[in-house]
């Protein structure tokens, strides 16, 4: 039997992204987030205007979206409840957030230079997407969340998760994203059955490549 409920959040299970940006003093910031989806070469993020990340995106207009695999969960979890904002917003301080200037060290992750943007790549993440900001607009009824539209301008992928070393396609059997499902971390299970969409999609992909 279904019941009418009034959930405060709708965290149905989305990939975790570690977004790296540049702080006003030129240092690196790194923040976990999971309200993200992609279409073609564009991405939409939902992030609090009170985060250091959104402040950095408004100023710098670029970032790197680093996608951790499920095995990096311990590193990602170390970043929870920290902000790169010196003046911790009251609502965050009230639930235990503190200021952390070096989140790469805190998480045990390595910052390496990107090709086209100032923000660094996270070396350990199998997928690193350099991106520029297209637009930032208020989102949601409260106006506290920014809808951030990004354009992917360079894509770095660990070779071992590609379908074939010479093809620009990620093998879903080899890529194991870290998923946030109602504030808890999950991996994906095994493939359930062949998809009817995959056959024509892949045929068209191979024709073009
Ligand atoms: C797994 C995970 C997912 C998160 N997803 C989001 C999100 O989608 N949007 C958001 O605004 N904050 C999200 N947060 C909270 C941010 O990480 C938090 O606001 C952090 O302080 C941002 O860092 P910054 O202030 O240095 O930018 C998430 C945190 C974790 C641990």
């Amino acid at each position: 039997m279904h019941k009418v409920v009034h959930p405060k959040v709708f965290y149905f299970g989305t990939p975790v992204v570690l977004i790296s940006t540049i702080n006003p003093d030129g240092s690196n910031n790194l923040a976990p987030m999971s309200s993200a989806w992609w279409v073609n070469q564009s991405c939409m993020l939902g992030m609090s205007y009170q985060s250091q990340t959104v402040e950095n995106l408004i100023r710098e207009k670029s970032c790197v979206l680093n996608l951790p695999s499920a095995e990096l969960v311990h590193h990602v979890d170390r970043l929870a409840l920290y902000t790169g904002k010196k003046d911790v917003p009251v609502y965050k301080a009230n639930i235990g957030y503190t200021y952390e200037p070096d989140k790469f060290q805190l998480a045990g992750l390595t910052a390496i230079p990107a090709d086209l943007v100032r923000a660094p790549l996270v070396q350990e993440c199998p997928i690193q997407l350099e991106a520029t900001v297209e637009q930032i607009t208020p989102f949601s009824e409260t106006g506290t969340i920014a809808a951030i539209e990004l354009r992917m301008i360079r894509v770095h992928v660990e070779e071992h998760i590609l379908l074939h070393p010479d093809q620009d396609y990620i093998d879903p059997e080899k890529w194991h994203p870290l998923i946030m499902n109602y504030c808890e971390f999950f991996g994906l299970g095994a493939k359930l059955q062949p998809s009817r969409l995959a056959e024509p999609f892949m045929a068209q992909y191979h024709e073009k490549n």
Side-chain angles (χ1 to χ4, degrees):
M1 195 169 61
H2 287 72
K3 199 176 163 189
V4 172
V5 295
H6 306 281
K8 285 221 170 71
V9 293
F10 296 89
Y11 298 156
F12 293 127
T14 44
V16 174
V17 177
L18 294 179
I19 176 166
S20 47
T21 53
I22 296 291
N23 291 319
D25 65 2
S27 63
N28 298 326
N29 193 25
L30 186 66
M33 63 87 59
S34 60
S35 305
W37 49 268
W38 286 260
V39 175
N40 297 332
Q41 301 299 305
S42 298
C43 174
M44 187 64 89
L45 304 180
M47 260 203 112
S48 167
Y49 273 109
Q50 294 206 50
S51 63
Q52 185 61 45
T53 299
V54 171
E55 205 182 297
N56 293 347
L57 287 170
I58 291 170
R59 196 186 58 259
E60 280 277 325
K61 305 214 164 7
S62 61
C63 64
V64 180
L65 305 179
N66 303 276
L67 274 66
S69 55
E71 66 184 18
L72 293 175
V73 62
H74 306 290
H75 297 270
V76 174
D77 196 38
R78 284 189 223 163
L79 291 165
L81 299 176
Y82 288 100
T83 173
K85 223 182 178 76
K86 284 185 188 143
D87 297 322
V88 181
V90 174
Y91 83 95
K92 280 190 173 174
N94 285 344
I95 56 170
Y97 271 86
T98 52
Y99 167 61
E100 172 54 55
D102 191 349
K103 295 209 228 152
F104 273 89
Q105 200 197 20
L106 175 90
L109 294 169
T110 317
I112 56 170
D115 292 344
L116 306 174
V117 300
R118 287 221 298 154
L121 311 174
V122 176
Q123 187 173 34
E124 291 80 0
C125 289
I127 300 175
Q128 305 143 343
L129 309 169
E130 298 185 38
T132 50
V133 173
E134 287 293 307
Q135 55 175 330
I136 301 182
T137 47
F139 177 77
S140 91
E141 64 281 21
T142 62
T144 57
I145 303 295
I148 303 149
E149 185 186 333
L150 300 174
R151 181 71 41 83
M152 305 305 104
I153 58 167
R154 179 139 306 178
V155 178
H156 308 261
V157 177
E158 255 295 334
E159 225 181 296
H160 75 261
I161 65 165
L162 291 174
L163 200 57
H164 184 276
D166 299 331
Q167 285 173 356
D168 306 316
Y169 199 85
I170 290 167
D171 185 344
E173 302 274 9
K174 296 178 188 154
W175 166 230
H176 305 292
L178 176 62
I179 301 294
M180 201 192 76
N181 179 8
Y182 275 88
C183 282
E184 295 290 352
F185 293 116
F186 284 76
L188 291 181
K191 181 161 93 175
L192 299 174
Q193 65 168 51
S195 148
R196 290 199 310 118
L197 177 66
E199 200 183 313
F201 184 87
M202 290 309 288
Q204 193 188 46
Y205 173 81
H206 286 305
E207 234 169 65
K208 286 188 186 154
N209 293 277

